[in-house]
């Protein structure tokens, strides 16, 4: 063991050298070099006091203190808040579907129009409801309970475990319960993915749902009404439907982004945002017009194309 003595006027100077690293201590006329076993980044700067301060080897027990009563009350308050919001949104979803079921059964509205209006409104109302949930981490999980309940409902009726003629007439194209396990089921799964993966701080999920609900939904309605001129590479799609999808998908996306921006969830550069949303709308419209419906449903292809393009454009 080497004992070094230092005078008050010659405090030790420490320097970190490049690998292999050495610690050099200089005092009076004596120099000692000690190899350092652990490497540090070249940009590191270590400053030592003499004598070195004593530091506890363990984390203080105070850091493991249980949460305060106020924190527990706030957490419980968030849970109650989110549970109430979930019940409210779920009730609204059932009222919406019930209303169109009733209109369809009374023959006041055609089945195809009822199906598309449910397609448009249910997703957009779900998207609009996100701000009523709390700012807690579990808020998005509570929100996804709404489409999850509808998902289970579609599975039960799709396998004909329980009969619901009103639901089948208002949601399916041909009145076949098996259809519930395709397009409508994909639809609610996309709602769940967007809420869990992006939530309300990201424009990606908002734009994806706006394109799937507003853009694709309006395209079918307009295409059936005014779609006499077909797209050359896909006779089942029309120019009127594709143009309306681009226009309404763009407008609904901008409207939803403004809604979340006004509530303080997003800060957007609007001139650049308009260009990015226009690009997403163009890509989603092109994908929707492709003759791939029998291979992949529009409720999958359109939102996924929107997600990828929006994520590459916005980056979050």
């Amino acid at each position: 063991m080497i004992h070094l003595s230092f005078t008050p006027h010659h405090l030790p100077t420490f320097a970190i050298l490049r690998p292999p690293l050495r610690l050099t201590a200089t005092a009076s006329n004596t120099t000692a070099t000690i190899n350092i076993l652990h490497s540090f980044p070249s940009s590191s700067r270590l400053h030592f006091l003499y004598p070195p301060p004593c530091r506890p080897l363990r984390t203080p027990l105070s850091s493991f203190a249980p949460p305060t009563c106020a924190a527990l009350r706030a957490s419980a308050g968030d849970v109650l808040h989110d549970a109430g919001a979930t019940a409210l949104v779920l009730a609204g979803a059932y009222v919406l579907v019930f209303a169109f079921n009733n209109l369809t059964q009374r023959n006041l509205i055609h089945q195809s129009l009822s199906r598309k209006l449910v397609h448009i409104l249910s997703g957009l109302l779900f998207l609009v409801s996100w701000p009523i949930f709390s700012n807690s981490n579990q808020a998005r999980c509570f929100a996804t309970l709404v489409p999850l309940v509808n998902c289970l409902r579609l599975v039960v009726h799709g396998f004909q475990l329980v009969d619901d003629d009103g639901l089948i007439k208002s949601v399916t194209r041909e009145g076949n319960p098996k259809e519930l396990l395709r397009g409508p089921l994909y639809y609610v799964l996309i709602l769940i993915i967007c809420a869990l993966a992006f939530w309300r701080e990201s424009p990606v999920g908002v734009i994806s749902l706006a394109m799937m609900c507003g853009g694709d939904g309006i395209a079918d309605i307009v295409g059936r009404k005014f779609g006499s001129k077909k797209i050359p590479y896909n006779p089942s799609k029309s120019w009127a439907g594709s143009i309306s999808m681009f226009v309404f998908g763009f407008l609904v996306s901008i409207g939803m982004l403004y809604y979340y921006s006004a509530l303080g969830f997003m800060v957007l550069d609007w001139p650049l945002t308009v260009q990015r949303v226009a690009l997403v709308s163009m890509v989603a419209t092109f994908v929707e017009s492709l003759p791939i419906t029998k291979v992949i449903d529009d409720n999958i292809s359109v939102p996924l194309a929107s997600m990828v393009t929006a994520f590459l454009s916005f980056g979050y």
Side-chain angles (χ1 to χ4, degrees):
M1 179 179 296
I2 300 175
H3 297 278
L4 299 178
S5 60
F6 303 93
T7 63
H9 300 288
H10 296 86
L11 294 180
T13 302
F14 293 84
I16 298 297
L17 305 179
R18 294 183 178 179
L21 300 178
R22 288 184 171 85
L23 181 65
T24 304
T26 304
S28 299
N29 295 324
T30 305
T31 301
T33 301
I34 307 170
N35 289 330
I36 297 178
L37 298 179
H38 299 284
S39 61
F40 298 90
S42 58
S43 61
S44 298
R45 296 292 183 270
L46 299 182
H47 302 281
F48 294 88
L49 297 176
Y50 179 80
C54 296
R55 297 184 179 181
L57 297 178
R58 296 182 180 180
T59 304
L61 294 177
S62 59
S63 64
F64 298 101
T68 62
C69 294
L72 290 175
R73 284 195 299 268
S75 178
D78 288 338
V79 171
L80 292 176
H81 177 100
D82 291 330
T86 302
L88 181 63
V89 178
L90 190 60
Y94 270 97
V95 169
L96 177 68
V97 175
F98 176 79
F100 281 99
N101 287 351
N102 193 23
L103 293 174
T104 304
Q105 290 175 356
R106 293 184 179 185
N107 295 322
L108 297 177
I109 187 173
H110 194 271
Q111 179 180 348
S112 61
L113 180 59
S114 173
R115 179 178 61 85
K116 275 304 171 182
L117 290 177
V118 171
H119 175 99
I120 296 170
L121 295 177
S122 59
L124 293 182
L125 289 177
F126 176 65
L127 182 58
V128 169
S129 72
W130 288 358
I132 71 175
F133 290 87
S134 72
N135 294 324
S136 62
N137 293 329
Q138 77 271 0
R140 68 180 70 192
C141 298
F142 274 93
T144 56
L145 291 177
V146 178
L148 181 60
V149 170
N150 289 325
C151 179
L152 296 176
R153 186 184 180 196
L154 292 172
V155 171
V156 168
H157 295 298
F159 285 109
Q160 295 181 291
L161 301 177
V162 179
D163 293 330
D164 190 340
D165 293 335
L167 175 65
I168 294 173
K169 287 182 179 181
S170 63
V171 175
T172 62
R173 293 175 182 268
E174 301 175 357
N176 185 355
K178 296 297 182 183
E179 292 183 50
L180 298 176
L181 302 176
R182 295 192 290 271
L185 182 61
Y186 304 149
Y187 180 90
V188 295
L189 290 176
I190 291 296
L191 297 181
I192 294 173
I193 291 172
C194 286
L196 289 178
F198 301 107
W199 198 221
R200 56 198 179 196
E201 288 81 14
S202 170
V204 177
V206 173
I207 295 174
S208 300
L209 293 185
M211 290 304 305
M212 181 181 71
C213 302
D216 187 31
I218 295 295
D220 186 77
I221 295 175
V222 174
R224 290 177 183 273
K225 186 71 174 178
F226 306 102
S228 57
K229 192 172 183 179
K230 303 298 181 182
I231 296 178
Y233 55 84
N234 189 0
S236 64
K237 303 290 183 179
S238 65
W239 285 108
S242 293
I243 293 173
S244 63
M245 177 173 178
F246 174 81
V247 173
F248 282 94
F250 173 81
L251 293 177
V252 173
S253 297
I254 291 294
M256 286 297 174
L257 290 178
Y258 180 80
Y259 170 69
Y260 279 93
S261 176
L263 293 176
F265 292 105
M266 300 179 189
V267 178
L268 300 171
D269 180 356
W270 282 107
L272 191 58
T273 296
V274 170
Q275 298 175 24
R276 291 169 174 173
V277 173
L279 175 62
V280 176
S281 299
M282 185 179 299
V283 172
T285 300
F286 174 71
V287 170
E288 193 271 343
S289 70
L290 295 175
I292 58 174
T293 305
K294 294 183 179 180
V295 179
I296 180 171
D297 192 273
D298 287 346
N299 288 336
I300 297 178
S301 61
V302 170
L304 286 184
S306 302
M307 282 182 200
V308 173
T309 309
F311 184 79
L312 292 176
S313 299
F314 289 90
Y316 66 100

